[in-house]
Amino acid sequence: MKAIVVTDQAAGTAGMKLVERPEPQAAINDVVVQVHAAGFVNTELDWPSTWTDRAFRDRTPSILGHELAGVITALGYGTTGLSIGQRVFGLSDWYRDGTLAEYVAMEARNLAPLPGDVDFTVGASLPISGLTAWQGLFQHGRLQAGQSVLAHGAAGAVGSIVTQLAREAGAYVIGTGRAADRQKALDFGANEFVDLANDTLEDVGGVDLVFDVIGGDVQKRSAALIRAGGTLVTAVGPTDIRPADDLTVDFVVEADRAQLSEIVQRVRDGRLRTNIGKVSSLDDAVATFNSTERRAGKTVIRVLP
Ligand SMILES: NC(=O)c1ccc[n+]([C@@H]2O[C@H](COP(=O)([O-])OP(=O)(O)OC[C@H]3O[C@@H](n4cnc5c(N)ncnc54)[C@H](OP(=O)(O)O)[C@@H]3O)[C@@H](O)[C@H]2O)c1
């Protein structure tokens, strides 16, 4: 099968290669999925799990990509709950070969059924951004109606879903990002927008929840805006910032079938709009990832045209 692999961490995206690899086999409780579309997060090349297994042994050449939509072609020993021929979408394990390939073997529990009226490209755009937004807002941030959310990167893949889910939950959303993204963030439902380069973040006043996808100084300054009892959730790495009552959550998204189903149902209902940027074929994927063009939304690789 064709797959995109990396072998050299120092090479960055320039080190990605489209190669032939053996088709994967389904282990206990696995399925094999024929990948129709796969999403990709550029920072994947910085994650230790791209390069090693859970025992920290080199696992290169590793196949990139950890979200997909496709059709099940095989079941592993003891696998229940899904069947051959079923349309599915989901989030694959960080430490296993991934979804930028024609086939992937992954744990069945990491997948949810993809309804027949949802396109594979849309399905592949949802798992990482959708689950990150859902878990950050509702599990880690314990968002309640009437609260205010500072949604950083509100025109981006995660931030646009944070904005929509928070609005639907009855929150007031202040989106942030680049000047050029103001209208896009407002279109996703932000009540107001802060251009981080030209506006003063501190003018926002107090907020109940900061959803951080930027880190660094933006994260630090945002923490100072959190009201007593509020929470900082960040998806971009360790923070030593602690609001007065210690509610800082630095998390990595986890697969969750029930949450995937909630998310895709919202897309079907028109309550949630996914944020797809560039769509490219597997053959053109390496060139797409190496492009210097500004990304806007989730890059999706249509593996099966
Ligand atoms: N922990 C987890 O489980 C998890 C899960 C998903 C994503 N993440 C991480 O979360 C981050 C966001 O992911 P994503 O897929 O949403 O990326 P994305 O689609 O690129 O969205 C990020 C948005 O924030 C904007 N932005 C970044 N830095 C900014 C700055 N200094 N000032 C103003 N705007 C800024 C970006 O604009 P530009 O494109 O112009 O920079 C973009 O619109 C990534 O680092 C990703 O690795 C973590």
Side-chain angles (χ1 to χ4, degrees), residues 24-264:
Q25 303 292 309
I28 292 173
N29 289 341
D30 272 356
V31 294
V32 172
V33 183
Q34 181 176 28
V35 180
H36 285 237
F40 183 69
V41 179
N42 264 43
T43 49
E44 198 175 314
L45 296 172
D46 302 327
W47 308 340
S49 55
T50 299
W51 306 99
T52 74
D53 65 16
R54 287 180 187 276
F56 305 104
R57 290 175 299 229
D58 182 6
R59 71 177 189 88
T60 58
S62 12
I63 300 176
L64 296 169
H66 290 283
E67 57 190 338
L68 86 164
V71 172
I72 294 179
T73 58
L75 303 180
Y77 181 74
T79 302
T80 60
L82 296 174
S83 50
I84 291 176
Q86 190 168 5
R87 301 171 99 246
V88 287
F89 74 123
L91 172 63
S92 75
D93 190 275
W94 309 119
Y95 289 93
R96 293 182 74 174
D97 273 341
T99 59
L100 286 174
E102 290 177 300
Y103 293 89
V104 62
M106 58 187 284
E107 294 84 346
R109 64 169 181 255
N110 292 357
L111 291 160
L114 181 69
D117 56 358
V118 179
D119 182 78
F120 288 114
T121 302
V122 172
S125 72
L126 294 171
I128 293 182
S129 307
L131 291 170
T132 302
W134 187 283
Q135 290 165 19
L137 287 172
F138 304 128
Q139 273 175 234
H140 306 304
R142 295 160 303 139
L143 182 67
Q144 303 289 320
Q147 292 188 326
S148 55
V149 177
L150 183 61
H152 283 305
V158 174
S160 57
I161 300 190
V162 168
T163 300
Q164 295 174 85
L165 291 177
R167 281 299 307 275
E168 187 199 358
Y172 184 88
V173 177
I174 303 139
T176 81
R178 313 258 179 218
D181 285 332
R182 177 183 297 273
Q183 195 53 49
K184 190 171 174 190
L186 295 174
D187 289 346
F188 277 116
N191 296 89
E192 50 182 287
F193 181 81
V194 176
D195 160 3
L196 288 171
N198 300 301
D199 299 335
T200 305
L201 182 60
E202 286 67 22
D203 289 348
V204 161
V207 294
D208 299 298
L209 177 58
V210 172
F211 200 124
D212 174 41
V213 295
I214 295 178
D217 189 50
V218 170
Q219 183 191 76
K220 227 174 258 165
R221 289 168 58 202
S222 306
L225 303 176
I226 297 173
R227 294 192 181 116
T231 310
L232 169 73
V233 294
T234 180
V236 287
T239 170
D240 50 9
I241 296 164
R242 296 281 165 215
D245 52 2
D246 229 10
L247 288 171
T248 300
V249 184
D250 163 22
F251 76 106
V252 174
V253 62
E254 292 188 77
D256 188 295
R257 184 178 290 171
Q259 291 172 4
L260 283 171
S261 298
E262 290 279 356
I263 290 162
V264 79

